[in-house]
């Protein structure tokens, strides 16, 4: 495949391509419907930068971490590329672990929910060969697998990569750290030379640079360079480390503990907003929801209720919350972590205004702690850790 010069800069002049509506990316109605059903309101920065480049056929090196929305950034173009009438693997997604294989396969499944006839299969070690073979034989278009097991299938001739048009390496740095270099080379060699190659990696050490040099054609690099942004000085910033399933409990206790009258609780998707608002109301909390999936009239109604003090908590997505112009919020809660420091500052800037002291509370679970550390770095503030009361 001959590669065109880039249609646009991968990294914008400000170093932050930012968020755009999914509708502006030229996606199929089926994928747009799935994105809407998942409650994604707009792209994350890595998505708005990487999706167009991958869809244009470029080899891409994306530097980004878990939590950036990277999985959808490569799954969406992969799904759009599949021709369901061809009964052979067309996309291979290499991942380091079994957990990631199921997670990525799950995301493919959700994003392809309205693509008729599209099939994907996770292939990883420790599971039965027979079942994987049967699933491959039934005709999988997208294969998500760990390198070792995929090489086994190649050797047994139960997997043929001759019709592959796109090969994606997710968490490439981790795969190399785990000693998968040789297996990766074998898989790359088994796919047609004309294929497109996409690398996603949290870090780009020399070993990854060498892999890219050896296998990519005129690769475009996508990196979401973060800017240093200063947070509002009067906001007391605290975080609580909680297990994912204990988040709601923690939030309930914090609301009681701080005894607040007005707050906004941020979630990443419309679904999360719906679920959390339902739970809060069921718990007897005075809460309303606010997200981009609601009709404008209803949103306006909710906003005026909130401003009038008739409701204490708003559960909102970032998009919907852009219209909130309330000055004296006592509390901002990051129920989900924002994508980056800029979004974080934007969220918490709604408290601590007009010379009053505000409070911003962030709930962190699992690998989210790394994201939080990066937010601390880019806001040059320390976010104090406390234990849930
Ligand atoms: P990842 O960085 O791929 O591990 O994604 C982190 C989480 O963000 C996953 O649960 C995704 O479903 C979710 N996600 C991905 N893209 C978006 C988006 N544009 N808006 C809201 N949530 C998203």
């Amino acid at each position: 495949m001959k590669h065109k010069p880039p249609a646009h800069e991968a990294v914008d002049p400000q170093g932050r391509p930012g968020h755009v509506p999914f509708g502006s990316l030229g996606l199929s109605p089926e994928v747009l419907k799935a994105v809407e059903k998942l409650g994604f309101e707009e792209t994350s920065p890595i998505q708005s930068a990487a999706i167009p480049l991958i869809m244009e056929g470029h080899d891409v090196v994306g530097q980004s971490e878990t939590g950036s929305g990277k999985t959808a950034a490569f799954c969406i173009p992969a799904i759009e590329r599949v021709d369901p009438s061809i009964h052979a693997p067309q996309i291979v997604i290499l991942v380091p672990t079994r957990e990631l294989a199921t997670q990525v396969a799950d995301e493919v499944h959700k994003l392809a929910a309205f693509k008729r006839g599209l099939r994907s299969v996770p292939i990883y070690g420790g599971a039965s060969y027979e079942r994987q073979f049967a699933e491959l034989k039934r005709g999988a278009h997208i294969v998500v697998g760990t390198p070792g097991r995929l090489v086994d299938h190649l050797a047994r001739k139960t997997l043929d990569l001759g019709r592959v048009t796109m090969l994606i390496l997710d968490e490439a740095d981790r795969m190399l750290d785990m000693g998968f270099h040789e297996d990766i080379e074998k898989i790359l060699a088994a796919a047609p030379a004309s294929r497109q190659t996409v690398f996603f990696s949290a870090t780009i050490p020399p070993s990854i640079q060498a892999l890219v040099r050896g296998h990519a054609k005129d690769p475009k690099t996508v990196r979401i360079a973060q800017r240093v942004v200063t947070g509002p000085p009067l906001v007391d910033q605290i975080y609580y480390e909680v297990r994912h399933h204990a988040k709601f409990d923690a939030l309930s206790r914090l609301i009681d503990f701080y005894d607040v009258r007005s707050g906004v609780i941020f979630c990443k998707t419309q679904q999360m907003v719906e679920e959390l608002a339902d739970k809060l109301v069921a718990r007897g909390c005075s809460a309303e929801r606010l997200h981009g999936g609601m009709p404008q009239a209803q949103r306006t109604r909710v906003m005026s209720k909130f401003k009038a003090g008739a409701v204490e908590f708003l559960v909102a997505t970032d998009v919907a919350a852009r219209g909130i112009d309330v000055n004296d919020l006592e509390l901002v809660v990051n129920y989900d972590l924002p994508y980056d420091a800029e979004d974080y500052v934007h969220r918490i800037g709604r408290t601590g205004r007009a010379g009053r002291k505000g409070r911003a509370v962030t709930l962190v679970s699992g690998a989210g702690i790394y994201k939080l550390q990066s937010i601390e770095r880019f806001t040059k503030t320390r976010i104090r850790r406390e234990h849930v009361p």
Side-chain angles (χ1 to χ4, degrees), residues 85-214:
S85 69
I86 299 173
H87 295 282
Q90 294 160 49
I91 314 281
V92 173
I93 305 175
L94 291 179
V95 296
T97 62
R98 168 197 184 120
E99 291 70 40
L100 208 57
T102 48
Q103 263 174 48
V104 171
D106 196 44
E107 191 126 340
V108 168
H109 191 75
K110 286 182 191 152
L111 288 165
F114 301 101
K115 282 271 185 186
R116 302 200 79 186
L118 190 147
R119 307 170 79 104
S120 67
V121 58
I123 299 283
Y124 46 77
S128 131
Y129 276 98
E130 294 310 317
R131 237 190 95 205
Q132 291 178 349
F133 175 49
E135 287 191 51
L136 286 169
K137 218 173 149 194
R138 270 170 68 208
H141 304 107
I142 301 182
V143 174
V144 186
T146 50
R149 181 54 73 97
L150 286 185
V151 166
D152 288 348
H153 277 285
L154 285 175
R156 291 168 181 235
K157 305 228 183 303
T158 46
L159 175 65
D160 178 4
L161 301 183
R163 304 290 300 265
V164 165
T165 61
M166 192 192 292
L167 218 152
I168 300 161
L169 291 86
D170 185 21
E171 305 206 353
D173 50 354
R174 248 178 103 198
M175 287 199 283
L176 292 190
D177 286 346
M178 290 169 73
F180 281 135
H181 191 188
E182 218 174 287
D183 290 341
I184 290 173
E185 292 284 350
K186 281 184 192 156
I187 293 161
L188 285 161
S194 60
R195 58 130 215 286
Q196 182 181 359
T197 318
V198 173
F199 302 79
F200 271 84
S201 199
T203 58
I204 315 281
S207 57
I208 294 288
Q209 289 168 24
L211 194 68
V212 170
R213 259 199 316 277

Side-chain angles (χ1 to χ4, degrees), residues 22 40 42 44 47 66-71 107 268-269 339:
F22 278 95
F40 297 180
E42 49 175 19
S44 70
Q47 290 164 356
T66 303
S68 61
K70 68 181 168 71
T71 315
E107 191 126 340
K268 236 160 88 176
T269 66
Y339 282 116

Side-chain angles (χ1 to χ4, degrees), residues 314-326:
L314 273 188
V315 186
T317 55
D318 292 279
V319 179
R322 256 164 228 168
I324 301 179
D325 55 344
V326 178

Side-chain angles (χ1 to χ4, degrees), residues 65-68 103 171 174 241-244 337 363-374:
E65 301 158 0
T66 303
S68 61
Q103 263 174 48
E171 305 206 353
R174 248 178 103 198
E241 237 180 317
V242 289
R243 280 201 306 272
H244 187 74
L337 276 178
L363 299 181
V364 182
S365 60
I369 192 70
Y370 301 112
K371 171 69 76 64
L372 192 82
Q373 284 163 358
S374 129

